[in-house]
């Protein structure tokens, strides 16, 4: 049995990119975001991940102003209204600073604080930081992912980023690590990382994983993005059994119930 008996936490995904709420109006965006936030909270999410820039390969870049406009009002409203922890999904240092000031308590950076000024921005807050592995850039990372030893290379990268954080004054107690499923990995690489997740725990820091609805699941089930609930819950269950501290998901209720079954199993109390 890996990890503590504490239940793996469920982080609900709250996209505030314009295409995630089909209408145009700003009020509608905030209104709809709050509705989704409240729903995911009621379903048992203890984290909400608020992101204003899609990381899909080919997604258009978002300006600083645009990203701030999208995420800050949402983070402010959620943290004023609800007792939930909010992470901000951004790589921009200015968004990190503003989001924490608005109430976010985790910085979720798919770029592992490699942008200019990101380490300093994160170090200036007391927020938790999730460092995620990515090979290459979102635009081109899926063209030809290649590794000699995917686990070893991901582990080395994450260790290097932890060292960079410590040198910037970020405490280890603030850091979570994430293998970055789908970010510069083939399907085989992704499943190797999932299977060998316990080896990442050797870095001695909590793990956050994002598997929900990703193409690695579609590849083996043949299911479209909107039809990947069972596969996503299965993947979250595997990750939790293998020690993940937080799972980042679209489907909160189903995943929370799966985590309750994992918890009962790992606690061996029944
Ligand atoms: C912001 N963010 C993303 S966005 C990609 C995504 O969800 N794609 C996707 C979503 C739905 C369907 C298919 C693909 N993935 C992670 C992750 O795995 N870990 C952390 N920490 N943050 C993350």
């Amino acid at each position: 049995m890996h990890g503590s008996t504490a239940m793996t936490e469920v982080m609900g995904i709250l996209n505030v990119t314009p295409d995630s709420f089909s209408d145009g109006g700003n009020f509608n965006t905030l209104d709809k975001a709050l509705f989704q936030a409240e729903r995911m909270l009621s379903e048992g999410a203890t984290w909400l991940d608020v992101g204003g820039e899609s990381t899909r390969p080919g997604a258009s870049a978002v300006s600083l102003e645009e990203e701030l406009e999208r995420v800050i009002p949402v983070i402010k409203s959620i943290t004023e209204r609800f007792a939930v922890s909010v992470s901000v999904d951004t790589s921009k240092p200015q968004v990190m600073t503003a989001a924490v000031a608005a109430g976010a308590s985790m910085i979720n950076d798919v770029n592992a604080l490699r942008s200019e000024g990101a380490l300093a921005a994160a170090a200036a807050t007391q927020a938790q930081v999730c460092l995620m592995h990515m090979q290459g850039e979102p635009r081109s990372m899926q063209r030809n992912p290649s590794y000699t030893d995917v686990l070893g290379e991901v582990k080395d990268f994450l260790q290097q980023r932890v060292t960079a954080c410590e040198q910037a004054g970020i405490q280890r107690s603030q850091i979570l690590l994430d293998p970055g499923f789908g970010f510069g990995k083939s399907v085989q690489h992704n499943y190797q990382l999932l299977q060998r997740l316990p080896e990442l725990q050797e870095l001695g820091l909590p793990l956050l994983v994002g598997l929900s609805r990703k193409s690695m699941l579609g590849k083996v089930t043949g299911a479209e993005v909107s039809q990947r609930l069972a596969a996503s819950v299965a993947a979250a269950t595997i990750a939790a059994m293998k020690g993940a501290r937080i799972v980042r998901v679209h489907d909160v209720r189903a995943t929370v119930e799966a985590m309750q079954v994992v918890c009962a199993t790992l606690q061996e109390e029944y």
Side-chain angles (χ1 to χ4, degrees), residues 30-178:
L30 180 56
D31 200 45
K32 286 186 185 273
L34 291 174
F35 182 79
Q36 294 303 326
E38 189 159 33
R39 175 182 58 77
M40 289 191 281
L41 271 176
S42 69
E43 293 181 355
T46 53
W47 284 94
L48 294 177
D49 191 37
V50 178
E53 179 175 32
S54 166
T55 56
R56 276 178 187 42
S60 54
V62 171
S63 73
L64 171 60
E65 292 67 31
E66 176 72 33
E67 194 173 336
L68 285 167
E69 223 169 270
R70 287 178 191 170
V71 306
I72 301 307
V74 170
I75 293 173
K76 194 169 183 314
S77 298
I78 289 172
T79 52
E80 279 169 352
R81 282 171 174 74
F82 307 122
V84 68
S85 298
V86 170
S87 60
V88 58
D89 157 16
T90 188
S91 297
K92 297 189 180 72
Q94 302 92 330
V95 178
M96 295 172 189
T97 305
V100 174
S105 54
M106 184 192 295
I107 294 164
N108 177 28
D109 182 6
V110 299
N111 202 35
L113 300 179
R114 285 179 289 173
S115 304
E116 180 68 34
L119 277 171
T125 73
Q126 292 309 312
Q128 295 185 76
V129 175
C130 180
L131 303 172
M132 195 194 81
H133 174 270
M134 176 185 341
Q135 185 184 73
E137 304 286 329
R139 197 175 25 76
S140 56
M141 63 189 176
Q142 288 309 114
R143 280 195 202 131
N144 181 28
S146 61
Y147 301 81
T148 49
D149 164 25
V150 62
L151 222 294
E153 291 174 51
V154 168
K155 203 169 163 185
D156 290 348
F157 170 88
L158 292 173
Q159 181 53 62
Q160 284 161 22
R161 296 314 299 157
V162 170
T163 302
C165 284
E166 289 178 310
Q167 288 169 347
I170 297 170
Q171 309 297 318
R172 280 178 70 85
S173 58
Q174 294 174 251
I175 299 172
L176 295 95
L177 302 178
D178 184 329

Side-chain angles (χ1 to χ4, degrees), residues 185-204:
K185 283 98 177 175
S186 67
V187 173
Q188 288 72 18
H189 295 138
N190 285 317
Y191 281 103
Q192 272 180 42
L193 284 167
L194 181 52
Q195 159 62 11
R196 297 171 63 189
L197 203 63
E199 294 176 48
L200 285 183
Q201 277 207 304
E202 289 161 14
L203 292 169

